Amino acid sequence: MNAKTDTAARERLKAIIREKSFRDGVDITLASGRKSDFYFNMKPTMLDPEGAALLAELVLDALGPDRPDYVGGLEMGAVPIVSWTTAASHRRGVPVAAFFVRKKAKEHGARLLIEGLGPDETIEGCRVVVVEDVTTTGESALKAVDAVRAAGGEVVRVLTLVDRQEGADETMAKAGMPFSALFTAAEFRTASGS
């Protein structure tokens, strides 16, 4: 994408997120345990045909010219992101492989924590960008970072679709982890009058 197309795609994706995935003026408990009056449920956007296509292209663009070997992240939120992004990378001719990290290893079968790698495939020595759908404190993303590091991968950045701006940047800074977001909560809260 060029800069003009990228801006248009970002604005269109933001509109889809606002319509399908953002709620303000609610009373909700987040996965982090915090109470909030606004909420992002990115699954309707990630599973919308246009939303998925735009998301994949923008995530791929956000990886920059120095592409990682892999994108991956914690189940469930990262699974659609990495699936669409790896497909978009193939279409562009700049393949980036993908995987996801289970919250806990299965108790049967291969008992893997990291899923999606072929029988002779490993992330050891590979550069990885960990992706997440919505980031609050950053603790969930760090679980994926820890799993990648334990498997010998080098995490070069954490990339989130939406940063709720509730401490993730500080958490990542303390962990020495570069962190970026496609969108911030302020972009949606301002637009909705909050």
Side-chain angles (χ1 to χ4, degrees):
M1 282 189 192
N2 62 42
K4 185 176 180 181
T5 306
D6 189 50
T7 300
R10 186 179 189 285
E11 287 305 309
R12 179 62 188 136
L13 182 57
K14 187 160 76 171
I16 293 169
I17 292 169
R18 186 176 293 113
E19 175 191 341
K20 293 183 171 269
S21 296
F22 176 66
R23 298 295 173 259
D24 206 356
V26 296
D27 180 19
I28 195 155
T29 303
L30 305 172
S32 65
R34 293 181 181 197
K35 295 281 189 184
S36 181
D37 65 348
F38 70 98
Y39 179 67
F40 290 93
N41 173 7
M42 293 300 293
K43 289 161 194 71
T45 295
M46 293 188 299
L47 298 174
D48 174 83
E50 184 183 11
L54 291 167
L55 169 126
E57 295 296 333
L58 291 171
V59 168
L60 195 56
D61 289 346
L63 297 178
D66 190 22
R67 301 232 187 274
D69 302 303
Y70 287 89
V71 290
L74 200 60
E75 67 171 338
M76 171 70 208
V79 174
I81 301 167
V82 302
S83 298
W84 288 110
T85 301
T86 195
S89 76
H90 173 75
R91 281 191 307 275
R92 283 195 191 176
V94 288
V96 176
F99 64 87
F100 72 90
V101 178
R102 290 187 174 278
K103 291 179 182 163
K104 76 176 212 183
K106 288 178 16 177
E107 295 181 10
H108 61 280
R111 298 188 169 128
L112 300 173
L113 190 61
I114 295 178
E115 291 278 5
L117 303 176
D120 297 324
E121 201 174 0
T122 177
I123 59 171
E124 186 174 353
C126 294
R127 297 175 71 252
V128 174
V129 171
V130 168
V131 296
E132 190 167 49
D133 58 346
V134 179
T135 307
T136 302
T137 64
E139 295 299 327
S140 293
L142 286 183
K143 289 178 186 174
V145 168
D146 290 344
V148 169
R149 287 177 172 164
E154 175 195 358
V155 180
V156 296
R157 180 165 36 123
V158 171
L159 172 65
T160 187
L161 301 183
V162 179
D163 177 10
R164 287 181 52 92
Q165 300 174 291
E166 296 182 11
D169 51 349
E170 291 92 352
T171 299
M172 295 303 163
K174 284 181 190 172
M177 182 60 47
F179 175 68
S180 58
L182 294 183
F183 300 98
T184 64
E187 293 178 75
F188 296 90
R189 304 226 48 215
T190 301
S192 68
S194 296

